[in-house]
């Protein structure tokens, strides 16, 4: 009742796309200035939101996109633009303003969606579910989805130790680096979406 090949293929794919090591500096930048208890809760919320979004699209992804007449490239471009706005905030330091740190739950947006549960992960899961024939394959797909989100939570949860080591000055540096990385990721996602539009034309 378990297909190791299906599990490993989807897990590795989601690991590369969702990039648990790469999410660490972004999580640190977006949650800096909050109490440790709040940061731990946000790590759990981000992983939970991402899992919820991925699960919904795994179950109803094709129907949702078809009903709304949304193509995969459009989803990628929209996600890239949203990530680019977040990256610009990190680069300019706007994410450190008091209203931003106190009032906005970044565990929901942009961490949970679209940073973790982004277009790439959503499309990969939709295709994996579609190609999973039989109970063993379906179990393996859902096991891979659950496993990657456990990894994401653990990485974010224990990245809080880094904050206590690098202090405030280090957090500012990490914030700027995260902004650069995220902006590059956002632009690449937009380019991929545009290329898909051109290829399908």
């Amino acid at each position: 009742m378990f297909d190791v090949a299906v599990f490993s293929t989807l897990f590795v794919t989601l690991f590369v796309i969702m990039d648990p090591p790469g999410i660490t500096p972004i999580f640190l930048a977006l949650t800096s200035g909050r109490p440790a208890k709040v940061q731990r809760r946000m790590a759990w919320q981000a992983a939970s939101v991402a899992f919820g979004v991925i699960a919904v699209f795994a179950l109803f992804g094709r129907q949702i996109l078809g009903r709304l007449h949304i193509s995969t490239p459009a989803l990628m471009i929209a996600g890239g633009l949203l990530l680019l706005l977040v990256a610009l905030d990190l680069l300019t330091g706007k994410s450190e303003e008091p209203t931003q740190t106190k009032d906005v739950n970044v565990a929901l947006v942009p961490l949970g969606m679209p940073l973790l549960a982004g277009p790439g992960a959503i499309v990969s899961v939709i295709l994996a579910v579609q190609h999973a024939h039989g109970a063993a394959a379906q179990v393996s797909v859902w096991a891979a989805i659950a496993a990657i989100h456990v990894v994401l939570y653990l990485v974010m949860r224990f990245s809080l130790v880094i904050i206590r080591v690098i202090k405030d000055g280090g957090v500012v540096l990490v914030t700027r680096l995260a902004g650069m990385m995220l902006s590059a990721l956002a632009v690449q996602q937009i380019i991929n979406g545009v290329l898909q539009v051109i290829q399908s034309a």
Side-chain angles (χ1 to χ4, degrees):
M1 288 297 292
F2 193 81
D3 192 323
V4 176
V6 171
F7 173 86
S8 58
T9 299
L10 182 57
F11 180 85
V12 171
T13 301
L14 291 178
F15 189 93
V16 171
I17 293 174
M18 302 175 94
D19 191 17
I23 201 66
T24 301
I26 299 173
F27 177 79
L28 293 176
L30 291 173
T31 60
S32 63
R34 292 177 169 88
K37 182 179 180 180
V38 174
Q39 290 172 323
R40 287 193 293 269
R41 186 173 73 245
M42 293 179 77
W44 170 253
Q45 288 177 337
S48 299
V49 168
F51 178 79
V53 172
I54 291 294
V56 168
F57 276 94
L59 293 171
F60 311 110
R62 286 198 166 273
Q63 295 89 328
I64 292 173
L65 296 181
R67 183 61 64 102
L68 296 176
H69 305 289
I70 297 174
S71 65
T72 301
L75 187 66
M76 296 178 69
I77 294 171
L81 289 173
L82 182 56
L83 289 181
L84 187 58
L85 291 175
V86 175
L88 292 175
D89 279 348
L90 292 176
L91 285 170
T92 57
K94 290 182 179 179
S95 62
E96 297 169 4
E97 296 175 2
T99 54
Q100 191 83 347
T101 56
K102 290 180 181 178
D103 300 334
V104 177
N105 189 352
V106 296
L108 307 181
V109 177
L111 275 174
M113 172 82 178
L115 196 51
L116 296 179
I122 289 172
V123 171
S124 297
V125 167
I126 291 175
L127 293 176
V129 170
Q130 182 184 5
H131 296 144
H133 302 295
Q138 288 289 339
V139 169
S140 303
V141 165
W142 284 100
I145 294 172
I148 190 62
H149 285 87
V150 170
V151 171
L152 286 167
Y153 166 70
L154 292 175
V155 168
M156 290 186 290
R157 169 67 177 79
F158 290 103
S159 67
L160 301 179
V161 177
I162 300 174
I163 292 182
R164 292 193 287 270
V165 175
I166 64 178
K167 307 297 182 183
D168 292 341
V171 170
V172 173
L173 177 61
V174 166
T175 299
R176 300 298 182 266
L177 292 174
M180 291 180 61
M181 293 166 51
L182 194 56
S183 61
L185 176 65
V187 171
Q188 185 61 57
Q189 191 163 288
I190 294 171
I191 291 173
N192 292 343
V194 172
L195 288 176
Q196 287 193 24
V197 171
I198 294 173
Q199 291 170 0
S200 62

mmCIF file of all heavy atoms in Angstrom, residues 89-132:
data_model
loop_
_atom_site.group_PDB
_atom_site.id
_atom_site.type_symbol
_atom_site.label_atom_id
_atom_site.label_comp_id
_atom_site.label_asym_id
_atom_site.label_seq_id
_atom_site.Cartn_x
_atom_site.Cartn_y
_atom_site.Cartn_z
ATOM 1 N N ASP A 89 9.563 45.206 -0.368
ATOM 2 C CA ASP A 89 9.387 45.659 1.020
ATOM 3 C C ASP A 89 10.591 45.268 1.872
ATOM 4 O O ASP A 89 11.064 46.053 2.699
ATOM 5 C CB ASP A 89 8.111 45.072 1.627
ATOM 6 C CG ASP A 89 6.873 45.856 1.211
ATOM 7 O OD1 ASP A 89 7.045 46.962 0.655
ATOM 8 O OD2 ASP A 89 5.756 45.360 1.437
ATOM 9 N N LEU A 90 11.088 44.056 1.684
ATOM 10 C CA LEU A 90 12.244 43.602 2.451
ATOM 11 C C LEU A 90 13.492 44.400 2.092
ATOM 12 O O LEU A 90 14.293 44.755 2.965
ATOM 13 C CB LEU A 90 12.502 42.110 2.197
ATOM 14 C CG LEU A 90 11.462 41.124 2.741
ATOM 15 C CD1 LEU A 90 11.813 39.705 2.328
ATOM 16 C CD2 LEU A 90 11.351 41.220 4.244
ATOM 17 N N LEU A 91 13.667 44.701 0.821
ATOM 18 C CA LEU A 91 14.847 45.427 0.373
ATOM 19 C C LEU A 91 14.852 46.880 0.842
ATOM 20 O O LEU A 91 15.895 47.454 1.141
ATOM 21 C CB LEU A 91 14.944 45.382 -1.158
ATOM 22 C CG LEU A 91 15.412 44.052 -1.756
ATOM 23 C CD1 LEU A 91 15.230 44.041 -3.266
ATOM 24 C CD2 LEU A 91 16.872 43.789 -1.403
ATOM 25 N N THR A 92 13.656 47.485 0.910
ATOM 26 C CA THR A 92 13.570 48.891 1.305
ATOM 27 C C THR A 92 13.395 49.074 2.800
ATOM 28 O O THR A 92 13.408 50.199 3.291
ATOM 29 C CB THR A 92 12.400 49.582 0.575
ATOM 30 O OG1 THR A 92 11.181 48.876 0.866
ATOM 31 C CG2 THR A 92 12.616 49.577 -0.933
ATOM 32 N N GLY A 93 13.209 47.974 3.533
ATOM 33 C CA GLY A 93 13.086 48.062 4.988
ATOM 34 C C GLY A 93 11.685 48.333 5.481
ATOM 35 O O GLY A 93 11.482 48.531 6.672
ATOM 36 N N LYS A 94 10.697 48.325 4.590
ATOM 37 C CA LYS A 94 9.324 48.626 5.018
ATOM 38 C C LYS A 94 8.767 47.547 5.924
ATOM 39 O O LYS A 94 7.878 47.796 6.724
ATOM 40 C CB LYS A 94 8.412 48.781 3.795
ATOM 41 C CG LYS A 94 8.693 50.038 2.990
ATOM 42 C CD LYS A 94 7.725 50.162 1.831
ATOM 43 C CE LYS A 94 7.989 51.436 1.033
ATOM 44 N NZ LYS A 94 7.070 51.553 -0.114
ATOM 45 N N SER A 95 9.309 46.323 5.812
ATOM 46 C CA SER A 95 8.798 45.224 6.640
ATOM 47 C C SER A 95 9.153 45.401 8.106
ATOM 48 O O SER A 95 8.673 44.676 8.960
ATOM 49 C CB SER A 95 9.370 43.882 6.153
ATOM 50 O OG SER A 95 10.771 43.880 6.271
ATOM 51 N N GLU A 96 10.011 46.393 8.429
ATOM 52 C CA GLU A 96 10.411 46.597 9.809
ATOM 53 C C GLU A 96 9.596 47.679 10.508
ATOM 54 O O GLU A 96 9.808 47.974 11.665
ATOM 55 C CB GLU A 96 11.897 46.986 9.849
ATOM 56 C CG GLU A 96 12.801 45.898 9.322
ATOM 57 C CD GLU A 96 14.226 46.373 9.122
ATOM 58 O OE1 GLU A 96 14.522 47.521 9.474
ATOM 59 O OE2 GLU A 96 15.039 45.592 8.618
ATOM 60 N N GLU A 97 8.666 48.315 9.774
ATOM 61 C CA GLU A 97 7.843 49.338 10.389
ATOM 62 C C GLU A 97 6.925 48.714 11.430
ATOM 63 O O GLU A 97 6.441 47.600 11.262
ATOM 64 C CB GLU A 97 7.014 50.061 9.322
ATOM 65 C CG GLU A 97 7.898 50.826 8.342
ATOM 66 C CD GLU A 97 7.089 51.432 7.216
ATOM 67 O OE1 GLU A 97 5.847 51.275 7.247
ATOM 68 O OE2 GLU A 97 7.669 52.056 6.335
ATOM 69 N N PRO A 98 6.606 49.430 12.534
ATOM 70 C CA PRO A 98 5.795 48.867 13.593
ATOM 71 C C PRO A 98 4.450 48.348 13.126
ATOM 72 O O PRO A 98 4.015 47.288 13.526
ATOM 73 C CB PRO A 98 5.629 50.039 14.566
ATOM 74 C CG PRO A 98 6.829 50.908 14.333
ATOM 75 C CD PRO A 98 7.136 50.759 12.884
ATOM 76 N N THR A 99 3.759 49.094 12.239
ATOM 77 C CA THR A 99 2.443 48.643 11.805
ATOM 78 C C THR A 99 2.538 47.335 11.038
ATOM 79 O O THR A 99 1.666 46.490 11.121
ATOM 80 C CB THR A 99 1.778 49.698 10.902
ATOM 81 O OG1 THR A 99 2.678 50.004 9.822
ATOM 82 C CG2 THR A 99 1.496 50.959 11.672
ATOM 83 N N GLN A 100 3.634 47.171 10.303
ATOM 84 C CA GLN A 100 3.815 45.950 9.519
ATOM 85 C C GLN A 100 4.077 44.764 10.435
ATOM 86 O O GLN A 100 3.528 43.693 10.248
ATOM 87 C CB GLN A 100 4.994 46.146 8.557
ATOM 88 C CG GLN A 100 5.132 45.067 7.497
ATOM 89 C CD GLN A 100 4.221 45.322 6.325
ATOM 90 O OE1 GLN A 100 3.328 46.150 6.391
ATOM 91 N NE2 GLN A 100 4.416 44.588 5.268
ATOM 92 N N THR A 101 4.901 44.924 11.449
ATOM 93 C CA THR A 101 5.270 43.800 12.293
ATOM 94 C C THR A 101 4.157 43.421 13.265
ATOM 95 O O THR A 101 4.040 42.278 13.654
ATOM 96 C CB THR A 101 6.535 44.122 13.106
ATOM 97 O OG1 THR A 101 6.319 45.305 13.859
ATOM 98 C CG2 THR A 101 7.722 44.319 12.191
ATOM 99 N N LYS A 102 3.323 44.375 13.639
ATOM 100 C CA LYS A 102 2.308 44.088 14.643
ATOM 101 C C LYS A 102 0.990 43.632 14.040
ATOM 102 O O LYS A 102 0.299 42.796 14.588
ATOM 103 C CB LYS A 102 2.062 45.323 15.509
ATOM 104 C CG LYS A 102 3.230 45.666 16.429
ATOM 105 C CD LYS A 102 2.913 46.895 17.263
ATOM 106 C CE LYS A 102 4.072 47.276 18.183
ATOM 107 N NZ LYS A 102 3.805 48.488 18.956
ATOM 108 N N ASP A 103 0.604 44.211 12.903
ATOM 109 C CA ASP A 103 -0.747 44.004 12.408
ATOM 110 C C ASP A 103 -0.867 42.952 11.326
ATOM 111 O O ASP A 103 -1.943 42.444 11.081
ATOM 112 C CB ASP A 103 -1.308 45.336 11.875
ATOM 113 C CG ASP A 103 -1.353 46.408 12.965
ATOM 114 O OD1 ASP A 103 -1.445 46.010 14.142
ATOM 115 O OD2 ASP A 103 -1.294 47.604 12.647
ATOM 116 N N VAL A 104 0.211 42.649 10.640
ATOM 117 C CA VAL A 104 0.138 41.739 9.509
ATOM 118 C C VAL A 104 0.629 40.353 9.909
ATOM 119 O O VAL A 104 1.724 40.213 10.432
ATOM 120 C CB VAL A 104 0.984 42.273 8.327
ATOM 121 C CG1 VAL A 104 0.962 41.279 7.178
ATOM 122 C CG2 VAL A 104 0.468 43.627 7.875
ATOM 123 N N ASN A 105 -0.205 39.353 9.664
ATOM 124 C CA ASN A 105 0.196 37.982 9.947
ATOM 125 C C ASN A 105 0.881 37.418 8.707
ATOM 126 O O ASN A 105 0.231 36.898 7.794
ATOM 127 C CB ASN A 105 -1.015 37.136 10.326
ATOM 128 C CG ASN A 105 -0.610 35.765 10.828
ATOM 129 O OD1 ASN A 105 0.552 35.376 10.759
ATOM 130 N ND2 ASN A 105 -1.565 35.017 11.341
ATOM 131 N N VAL A 106 2.202 37.533 8.672
ATOM 132 C CA VAL A 106 2.962 37.090 7.501
ATOM 133 C C VAL A 106 2.975 35.575 7.377
ATOM 134 O O VAL A 106 3.410 35.036 6.355
ATOM 135 C CB VAL A 106 4.412 37.626 7.541
ATOM 136 C CG1 VAL A 106 4.425 39.136 7.451
ATOM 137 C CG2 VAL A 106 5.142 37.146 8.790
ATOM 138 N N ALA A 107 2.503 34.863 8.411
ATOM 139 C CA ALA A 107 2.417 33.405 8.313
ATOM 140 C C ALA A 107 1.397 32.998 7.251
ATOM 141 O O ALA A 107 1.526 31.940 6.630
ATOM 142 C CB ALA A 107 2.039 32.803 9.669
ATOM 143 N N LEU A 108 0.391 33.844 7.066
ATOM 144 C CA LEU A 108 -0.632 33.555 6.067
ATOM 145 C C LEU A 108 -0.175 33.999 4.682
ATOM 146 O O LEU A 108 -0.145 33.217 3.739
ATOM 147 C CB LEU A 108 -1.948 34.251 6.445
ATOM 148 C CG LEU A 108 -2.469 33.967 7.861
ATOM 149 C CD1 LEU A 108 -3.781 34.692 8.093
ATOM 150 C CD2 LEU A 108 -2.649 32.467 8.078
ATOM 151 N N VAL A 109 0.142 35.283 4.543
ATOM 152 C CA VAL A 109 0.653 35.865 3.303
ATOM 153 C C VAL A 109 1.843 36.739 3.668
ATOM 154 O O VAL A 109 1.709 37.611 4.543
ATOM 155 C CB VAL A 109 -0.427 36.719 2.597
ATOM 156 C CG1 VAL A 109 0.146 37.373 1.345
ATOM 157 C CG2 VAL A 109 -1.645 35.878 2.258
ATOM 158 N N PRO A 110 3.015 36.553 3.118
ATOM 159 C CA PRO A 110 3.320 35.699 1.958
ATOM 160 C C PRO A 110 3.897 34.336 2.285
ATOM 161 O O PRO A 110 4.169 33.570 1.369
ATOM 162 C CB PRO A 110 4.371 36.534 1.238
ATOM 163 C CG PRO A 110 5.162 37.136 2.361
ATOM 164 C CD PRO A 110 4.151 37.448 3.438
ATOM 165 N N LEU A 111 4.119 34.000 3.582
ATOM 166 C CA LEU A 111 4.794 32.735 3.889
ATOM 167 C C LEU A 111 3.970 31.519 3.458
ATOM 168 O O LEU A 111 4.418 30.705 2.650
ATOM 169 C CB LEU A 111 5.107 32.656 5.385
ATOM 170 C CG LEU A 111 6.408 33.314 5.849
ATOM 171 C CD1 LEU A 111 6.509 33.281 7.366
ATOM 172 C CD2 LEU A 111 7.612 32.634 5.219
ATOM 173 N N GLY A 112 2.762 31.382 4.028
ATOM 174 C CA GLY A 112 1.946 30.224 3.682
ATOM 175 C C GLY A 112 1.594 30.172 2.212
ATOM 176 O O GLY A 112 1.693 29.142 1.552
ATOM 177 N N MET A 113 1.182 31.341 1.700
ATOM 178 C CA MET A 113 0.788 31.477 0.287
ATOM 179 C C MET A 113 1.185 32.866 -0.166
ATOM 180 O O MET A 113 0.826 33.839 0.519
ATOM 181 C CB MET A 113 -0.731 31.266 0.189
ATOM 182 C CG MET A 113 -1.338 31.561 -1.164
ATOM 183 S SD MET A 113 -1.150 30.174 -2.260
ATOM 184 C CE MET A 113 -1.994 30.794 -3.723
ATOM 185 N N PRO A 114 1.971 33.062 -1.202
ATOM 186 C CA PRO A 114 2.383 32.073 -2.207
ATOM 187 C C PRO A 114 3.830 31.597 -2.072
ATOM 188 O O PRO A 114 4.339 30.969 -2.978
ATOM 189 C CB PRO A 114 2.244 32.884 -3.502
ATOM 190 C CG PRO A 114 2.706 34.251 -3.109
ATOM 191 C CD PRO A 114 2.232 34.434 -1.665
ATOM 192 N N LEU A 115 4.514 31.911 -0.960
ATOM 193 C CA LEU A 115 5.926 31.561 -0.866
ATOM 194 C C LEU A 115 6.114 30.054 -0.742
ATOM 195 O O LEU A 115 6.920 29.458 -1.457
ATOM 196 C CB LEU A 115 6.560 32.275 0.322
ATOM 197 C CG LEU A 115 8.088 32.328 0.368
ATOM 198 C CD1 LEU A 115 8.643 32.848 -0.941
ATOM 199 C CD2 LEU A 115 8.555 33.178 1.522
ATOM 200 N N LEU A 116 5.387 29.420 0.178
ATOM 201 C CA LEU A 116 5.478 27.969 0.325
ATOM 202 C C LEU A 116 4.536 27.268 -0.654
ATOM 203 O O LEU A 116 4.968 26.463 -1.478
ATOM 204 C CB LEU A 116 5.159 27.572 1.769
ATOM 205 C CG LEU A 116 6.132 28.085 2.838
ATOM 206 C CD1 LEU A 116 5.687 27.634 4.223
ATOM 207 C CD2 LEU A 116 7.546 27.598 2.552
ATOM 208 N N ALA A 117 3.256 27.560 -0.546
ATOM 209 C CA ALA A 117 2.275 26.974 -1.464
ATOM 210 C C ALA A 117 2.155 27.863 -2.691
ATOM 211 O O ALA A 117 1.142 28.519 -2.916
ATOM 212 C CB ALA A 117 0.922 26.819 -0.767
ATOM 213 N N GLY A 118 3.219 27.909 -3.483
ATOM 214 C CA GLY A 118 3.246 28.739 -4.678
ATOM 215 C C GLY A 118 2.762 27.991 -5.901
ATOM 216 O O GLY A 118 2.423 26.803 -5.828
ATOM 217 N N PRO A 119 2.735 28.677 -7.043
ATOM 218 C CA PRO A 119 2.252 28.051 -8.285
ATOM 219 C C PRO A 119 3.010 26.782 -8.646
ATOM 220 O O PRO A 119 2.410 25.807 -9.101
ATOM 221 C CB PRO A 119 2.473 29.151 -9.329
ATOM 222 C CG PRO A 119 2.445 30.425 -8.551
ATOM 223 C CD PRO A 119 3.050 30.098 -7.220
ATOM 224 N N GLY A 120 4.332 26.777 -8.450
ATOM 225 C CA GLY A 120 5.118 25.601 -8.801
ATOM 226 C C GLY A 120 4.714 24.379 -7.998
ATOM 227 O O GLY A 120 4.528 23.281 -8.550
ATOM 228 N N ALA A 121 4.564 24.562 -6.684
ATOM 229 C CA ALA A 121 4.157 23.457 -5.826
ATOM 230 C C ALA A 121 2.735 23.012 -6.135
ATOM 231 O O ALA A 121 2.434 21.809 -6.172
ATOM 232 C CB ALA A 121 4.267 23.876 -4.354
ATOM 233 N N ILE A 122 1.848 23.975 -6.390
ATOM 234 C CA ILE A 122 0.453 23.651 -6.687
ATOM 235 C C ILE A 122 0.352 22.828 -7.963
ATOM 236 O O ILE A 122 -0.331 21.793 -8.008
ATOM 237 C CB ILE A 122 -0.381 24.944 -6.799
ATOM 238 C CG1 ILE A 122 -0.560 25.572 -5.413
ATOM 239 C CG2 ILE A 122 -1.743 24.661 -7.432
ATOM 240 C CD1 ILE A 122 -1.208 26.939 -5.430
ATOM 241 N N VAL A 123 1.041 23.271 -9.009
ATOM 242 C CA VAL A 123 0.988 22.550 -10.289
ATOM 243 C C VAL A 123 1.587 21.155 -10.145
ATOM 244 O O VAL A 123 1.041 20.171 -10.672
ATOM 245 C CB VAL A 123 1.728 23.346 -11.376
ATOM 246 C CG1 VAL A 123 1.880 22.513 -12.649
ATOM 247 C CG2 VAL A 123 0.997 24.638 -11.689
ATOM 248 N N SER A 124 2.693 21.033 -9.404
ATOM 249 C CA SER A 124 3.334 19.729 -9.212
ATOM 250 C C SER A 124 2.402 18.754 -8.517
ATOM 251 O O SER A 124 2.319 17.575 -8.890
ATOM 252 C CB SER A 124 4.617 19.887 -8.395
ATOM 253 O OG SER A 124 5.557 20.688 -9.071
ATOM 254 N N VAL A 125 1.681 19.239 -7.513
ATOM 255 C CA VAL A 125 0.763 18.376 -6.770
ATOM 256 C C VAL A 125 -0.440 17.985 -7.630
ATOM 257 O O VAL A 125 -0.874 16.826 -7.613
ATOM 258 C CB VAL A 125 0.303 19.089 -5.474
ATOM 259 C CG1 VAL A 125 -0.875 18.363 -4.856
ATOM 260 C CG2 VAL A 125 1.457 19.161 -4.489
ATOM 261 N N ILE A 126 -0.966 18.942 -8.386
ATOM 262 C CA ILE A 126 -2.098 18.637 -9.270
ATOM 263 C C ILE A 126 -1.713 17.525 -10.243
ATOM 264 O O ILE A 126 -2.471 16.564 -10.449
ATOM 265 C CB ILE A 126 -2.550 19.893 -10.033
ATOM 266 C CG1 ILE A 126 -3.200 20.897 -9.073
ATOM 267 C CG2 ILE A 126 -3.545 19.522 -11.142
ATOM 268 C CD1 ILE A 126 -3.572 22.218 -9.724
ATOM 269 N N LEU A 127 -0.530 17.635 -10.848
ATOM 270 C CA LEU A 127 -0.080 16.626 -11.814
ATOM 271 C C LEU A 127 0.193 15.286 -11.137
ATOM 272 O O LEU A 127 -0.130 14.228 -11.691
ATOM 273 C CB LEU A 127 1.184 17.115 -12.524
ATOM 274 C CG LEU A 127 1.006 18.329 -13.444
ATOM 275 C CD1 LEU A 127 2.346 18.769 -14.005
ATOM 276 C CD2 LEU A 127 0.024 18.020 -14.562
ATOM 277 N N ALA A 128 0.768 15.326 -9.919
ATOM 278 C CA ALA A 128 1.070 14.086 -9.205
ATOM 279 C C ALA A 128 -0.204 13.324 -8.864
ATOM 280 O O ALA A 128 -0.276 12.097 -9.022
ATOM 281 C CB ALA A 128 1.855 14.390 -7.933
ATOM 282 N N VAL A 129 -1.223 14.040 -8.409
ATOM 283 C CA VAL A 129 -2.500 13.403 -8.077
ATOM 284 C C VAL A 129 -3.150 12.838 -9.335
ATOM 285 O O VAL A 129 -3.712 11.736 -9.327
ATOM 286 C CB VAL A 129 -3.440 14.412 -7.381
ATOM 287 C CG1 VAL A 129 -4.840 13.838 -7.247
ATOM 288 C CG2 VAL A 129 -2.887 14.785 -6.018
ATOM 289 N N GLN A 130 -3.060 13.584 -10.419
ATOM 290 C CA GLN A 130 -3.665 13.149 -11.674
ATOM 291 C C GLN A 130 -3.027 11.867 -12.196
ATOM 292 O O GLN A 130 -3.705 10.995 -12.748
ATOM 293 C CB GLN A 130 -3.529 14.262 -12.718
ATOM 294 C CG GLN A 130 -4.177 13.921 -14.058
ATOM 295 C CD GLN A 130 -3.950 15.002 -15.088
ATOM 296 O OE1 GLN A 130 -3.242 15.966 -14.846
ATOM 297 N NE2 GLN A 130 -4.555 14.832 -16.264
ATOM 298 N N HIS A 131 -1.713 11.741 -12.006
ATOM 299 C CA HIS A 131 -0.987 10.580 -12.538
ATOM 300 C C HIS A 131 -0.870 9.432 -11.532
ATOM 301 O O HIS A 131 -0.275 8.395 -11.856
ATOM 302 C CB HIS A 131 0.416 11.002 -12.984
ATOM 303 C CG HIS A 131 0.401 11.971 -14.122
ATOM 304 N ND1 HIS A 131 1.311 13.003 -14.255
ATOM 305 C CD2 HIS A 131 -0.444 12.084 -15.184
ATOM 306 C CE1 HIS A 131 1.042 13.693 -15.348
ATOM 307 N NE2 HIS A 131 -0.026 13.162 -15.934
ATOM 308 N N ALA A 132 -1.391 9.620 -10.331
ATOM 309 C CA ALA A 132 -1.313 8.573 -9.304
ATOM 310 C C ALA A 132 -2.478 7.608 -9.473
ATOM 311 O O ALA A 132 -3.606 7.897 -9.058
ATOM 312 C CB ALA A 132 -1.328 9.199 -7.912
#
